Amino acid sequence: MRSLYGKFLSFTTGIMLTSAVIAFLIVNTYYHQQLKGQNDAKNMHIALTIANYIESEEPADLAGYFDTQAASGYKIFVVNENREATMYGAPFRVENLRTVSVEQVLDGQQYHGMRDLKTETFMTGFFSDELANTVGVPFTYNGETYALFMRPNIKLLFTEVHYLLGGMVVVMAIVSLLSMLIVAKKLIEPITKLTAAAKKVGEEQFNGTLDIHRRDEIGQLAKSFQRMTEKLSENDRMRKEFISDVSHDFQSPLLNIKGYANLLMDSGLPEQERKSYAKVIQSETERLSSLTKQLLLLTSLDQLESPLKQVNFRLDEQIKEVVRKQRWLLEEKQMALVMELDEVAMTGDPAFLEKVWENLLSNALKYTETGGEIDIRLLDGTVDVKIIFQDNGAGIAKENLSRLFDRFYRVDHSRTQEVEGTGLGLSIVHQVVKLHGGSVEIASEVGVGTTFTVILPKL
Ligand code: ADP
């Protein structure tokens, strides 16, 4: 795998090299189109000035005059009529001047080697230290014809300032490359940390914290990742707790059934005891059955893929039907029931909503002493409907209210231990109401009673 850092490195170097090549090509074209001719013309002008000066002034010491010119930054090559050549200034690297060119100049023509030299494709020709890369002019001195070839001495032209500027460019290139490498490393560092953290999460280790404190996009990504990890960790904890609760809640009735079944095997058991043991087994099986049903209901609520099966139905009639089914229990506990139901037709999933009323009514029955009172009200509003289940039973302490909707949560087990329950009923109530876009409010006081108010929006 090519790392992001490697990619950044190759991209940067690639961009730098490409821009250098493009810049070189542009400058090169400019050199060939413009500079080459201009340079030739400029040097030709200087050569002609020198030739004119010699011809008009006839300096006594010709060699001395050429030496002075050479010292001011030129390489000079002079050929006389006898084809004897003299060099002034530093020697040429390549002495490739063709005889025909010399002859042409001695014949009175000009030589434009700097303009016409074809061998150099690139602008390096500008610096090419060859005898052919010169300009040539004829001149006469003391009645004799000479050919003068010359070009600037590049070495002399390169002053300290040029070296300083060149050095500056090199240092800038190195510094910018190095700083880009450091910046890239700093940018990529948090991504490496995120990758390591994601790997840990993948291995179900949710305890690590991300040491990334940045305000940019990577910082935001790290924050979201941290939140996601916390949520996953919470879900993982809940899942484990749920499994352990489920196992525990299945374990105790199973143990009871096993124990009482063993006792029933005793053939000499009196009829009275046999009946009571069979009753325990029956009630424990019912408990297991209701636990399984509630768990299945909760799972189906959790995994609800398709939307609720919403239909329009009469809510007041549904509540009346639920009460009718549990009337025998109300009578058994000699409970007084007050029902005030507005006629309400609403849209919702009746199968799930029925479970809500069943749970609220059975709780009111379970947690209210014999002879107590239960009030059920259905209030039709403009935007929502309120369904109120009020009892004058045991009540719930304030500190326990916040956990009532947690799965398997049961208040004060020592007090309610005789009361059958799974701790799943209110979770179901909460989940169904939430799916309908509603809410559940609880008002309760220990020893006074409890009021559950379900608020459902009218669609
Ligand atoms: P359970 O199966 O124990 O009834 P629920 O989820 O229905 O489980 O209720 C959770 C707990 O809330 C119960 O254990 C009970 O302590 C308390 N509770 C629920 N409804 C009432 C009520 N009407 N009066 C007093 N306590 C209640």
Side-chain angles (χ1 to χ4, degrees), residues 38 45 79 90 179 312 334:
Q38 281 173 14
H45 178 71
V79 184
S179 14
N312 201 276
Q334 296 156 25

Side-chain angles (χ1 to χ4, degrees), residues 363 366-367 391 396 404 409-411 421-423 425-426 450 452:
N363 275 355
K366 274 195 290 185
Y367 303 106
D391 63 57
I396 307 156
L404 279 195
Y409 182 75
R410 305 199 69 208
V411 180
T422 57
L426 287 182
T450 308
F452 282 93

Side-chain angles (χ1 to χ4, degrees), residues 264 273-285:
L264 278 178
E273 275 178 43
R274 197 181 55 79
K275 268 194 182 157
S276 94
Y277 294 167
K279 227 174 161 188
V280 174
I281 292 178
Q282 192 190 32
S283 93
E284 289 298 60
T285 337

